[in-house]
Amino acid sequence: MVSLETLPQELFNRVALALDVADLGSLAQVSRSLCRVARCDDLWIERVSADFGDREVIVELLAESGVDIAELLDATTDLVPWRLPHSYQHGDRNSADSTYTGHGLRCYRERLARVAPTSEDEYVDRVKHSEAEIDRVKLMLREGPQASEEVFVEAAFRLVLVQEWFPASAECYYLWALICYMRNTLKPALAFLSIAHDINSDFAPVHELQAEVQSMANGVFGVAGQAPLLDESCSGPSPQLAKALALIFNHFDRDRDGVLNMSELGAVVRVTNGQPAPPAMITQIVGTFGGQISSRSGRKVAGWDLGSLTNFYVAQTMQDPQETRQDMAKFGFDPHTLCKV
C-alpha cells in the first residue's frame, strides 16, 4: 500500500502544494520521515512562487521583451531570497541531504514575514511607498514605445519592489504587460494580463488592454487557419511572410541587381496604393527603411534591399496587421495562407 511517506519526493511535492501551509506543518509533525520530505528545498521554493508570485516567470517574460532585470535583482538588497543559491541550482549536491538544507523553508518564512506588516502604521507606510513607486513607473512609461531600454528596465524593476510587499497587486502585472506591449512582444503581454486577471478579475484596465493586445495578436499570428505574419517574438517575419516577400522582391527587381531602385519601388507602391506615388514620398520611404545600397555589381543604388522590404512589413504589421494581409492580396497572395494564387 502506497503511503505519503513512501512517495517519491516529486509526487509528495505535488500533494503538498495543494495543502494549506498550516496543514503541511501539521503533516510534518506526524513522523520523522514526513518531517524530512516536508522540508524539501524545491517544495518550499515552489511554494514561494505559488503563494507570492513566480518571480522566475516575471523575469523570463520580461527578458522575452528585451527587458533584462536579472542583474538588478542580483545586486539589490531590498528583496528577500526567492530562489535557491546559485551553486545549488546548478546541481552542486554533494550529499544525500543537500536537497533538504532548509534554505527553501527559510525563503518562504522570510517572504511571508515581508508581506505581513507588524502594525497598521507599517502597512500604511508600505501602501504610500508602493503608490508612489507605481506613480513613478506610470510617469516613466508616458514616453511610450520610444522610451529607452534603460527606462523600461528601471520601470520593470521598480514594479518588482512593489510586488515584494504586495504580491497580489494586479496593477503590477498590468504594468509589466504594458511594458511588453510597448516593446511589441504580444505573447508575454498576454501572459502577464492573464495573471493579473486571475488576481483581480474586476480590474478594468486589464480587460481593456487584454482586448487590445488579443486583437493585435489575432491579426499578427492569425486565427481560424490563417498563417502568422510574424515570428513568436514579433521581431521578424513568419516563414510564410518571408517567402512571400522574397517572391515580391524578385518580381519587382526587374534588373536583378538585388536592389529595388526608385522606379522599381514606385511600382511596388503603385500596387499597394492603387495609384502612382509622388517622388517625394518614394524618397522618404527610401530614407526610412533603405538608403544607398550596394547592388550585385557593387554600384551604390538608392532604394531597398530585401531586408528593407521585410523591415517595412514587420513595422507595418505591428501597426495594422490587416493592412499587411490586404497588401499581400494585392500582390497576388492569399491573405489568409500567404500562398501565391
Side-chain angles (χ1 to χ4, degrees):
M1 180 178 177
V2 177
S3 68
L4 285 175
E5 294 173 313
T6 59
L7 282 178
Q9 185 69 61
E10 184 178 352
L11 293 181
F12 177 86
N13 289 356
R14 293 183 187 178
V15 174
L17 287 170
L19 299 175
D20 291 335
V21 172
D23 292 336
L24 181 55
S26 299
L27 181 64
Q29 297 177 29
V30 171
S31 67
R32 288 185 178 180
S33 58
L34 283 176
C35 180
R36 182 174 184 275
V37 293
R39 288 176 57 84
C40 173
D41 290 322
D42 292 328
L43 165 60
W44 286 102
I45 292 299
E46 286 188 61
R47 192 85 206 201
V48 169
S49 297
D51 291 357
F52 308 114
D54 193 332
R55 195 161 287 160
E56 289 284 2
V57 168
I58 293 169
V59 172
E60 290 171 4
L61 290 174
L62 289 169
E64 288 180 36
S65 301
V67 180
D68 187 356
I69 63 171
E71 187 174 336
L72 289 176
L73 290 179
D74 290 340
T76 185
T77 58
D78 293 331
L79 303 173
V80 299
W82 51 280
R83 58 186 174 187
L84 298 178
H86 184 74
S87 60
Y88 182 93
Q89 295 178 58
H90 287 76
D92 184 14
R93 303 181 180 186
N94 298 320
S95 72
D97 291 331
S98 61
T99 199
Y100 308 98
T101 64
H103 179 83
L105 183 55
R106 286 194 297 274
C107 283
Y108 188 89
R109 286 172 174 167
E110 290 183 38
R111 193 76 171 88
L112 180 62
R114 180 59 63 95
V115 303
T118 57
S119 67
E120 184 175 347
D121 287 342
E122 183 182 357
Y123 175 76
V124 171
D125 287 342
R126 289 184 183 183
V127 170
K128 289 181 179 179
H129 178 75
S130 297
E131 288 177 345
E133 287 285 8
I134 291 285
D135 288 341
R136 183 170 181 176
V137 168
K138 289 179 179 177
L139 185 62
M140 296 170 70
L141 296 182
R142 284 183 184 176
E143 293 186 40
Q146 295 76 31
S148 67
E149 181 179 330
E150 290 75 15
V151 168
F152 286 120
V153 168
E154 183 180 352
F157 174 70
R158 288 186 177 279
L159 292 173
V160 173
L161 299 181
V162 174
Q163 195 262 354
E164 172 85 348
W165 300 103
F166 298 98
S169 171
E171 191 165 18
C172 284
Y173 288 93
Y174 162 78
L175 290 170
W176 280 319
L178 185 59
I179 289 172
C180 294
Y181 190 36
M182 288 181 176
R183 301 280 291 178
N184 288 335
T185 49
L186 304 181
K187 292 191 174 181
L190 288 172
F192 275 127
L193 289 168
S194 177
I195 298 171
H197 182 272
D198 289 343
I199 292 173
N200 184 357
S201 60
D202 295 325
F203 189 47
V206 169
H207 296 284
E208 296 167 4
L209 185 58
Q210 199 165 30
E212 182 177 342
V213 178
Q214 188 63 63
S215 176
M216 177 64 74
N218 290 344
V220 168
F221 299 120
V223 294
Q226 289 182 330
L229 294 171
L230 301 182
D231 59 20
E232 291 286 312
S233 67
C234 297
S235 61
S238 67
Q240 297 91 327
L241 181 61
K243 182 177 180 180
L245 292 176
L247 292 173
I248 292 168
F249 184 90
N250 290 333
H251 175 77
F252 285 94
D253 183 20
R254 299 296 187 182
D255 56 9
R256 298 293 184 266
D257 66 346
V259 181
L260 296 179
N261 58 37
M262 302 283 280
S263 175
E264 293 165 341
L265 195 52
V268 173
V269 176
R270 190 180 303 116
V271 171
T272 57
N273 290 3
Q275 58 185 7
M281 176 182 175
I282 301 300
T283 300
Q284 181 180 7
I285 64 174
V286 165
T288 303
F289 291 94
Q292 294 292 323
I293 298 174
S294 295
S295 65
R296 290 194 176 100
S297 66
R299 184 171 59 92
K300 292 287 188 178
V301 178
W304 282 6
D305 58 12
L306 179 56
S308 304
L309 182 68
T310 300
N311 291 338
F312 170 81
Y313 272 104
V314 169
Q316 175 176 284
T317 299
M318 287 308 300
Q319 294 294 321
D320 187 350
Q322 293 310 315
E323 185 174 1
T324 295
R325 293 191 186 275
Q326 291 167 6
D327 282 358
M328 292 302 104
K330 293 173 183 177
F331 287 125
F333 292 82
D334 186 303
H336 302 291
T337 65
L338 305 183
C339 293
K340 187 71 174 174
V341 295

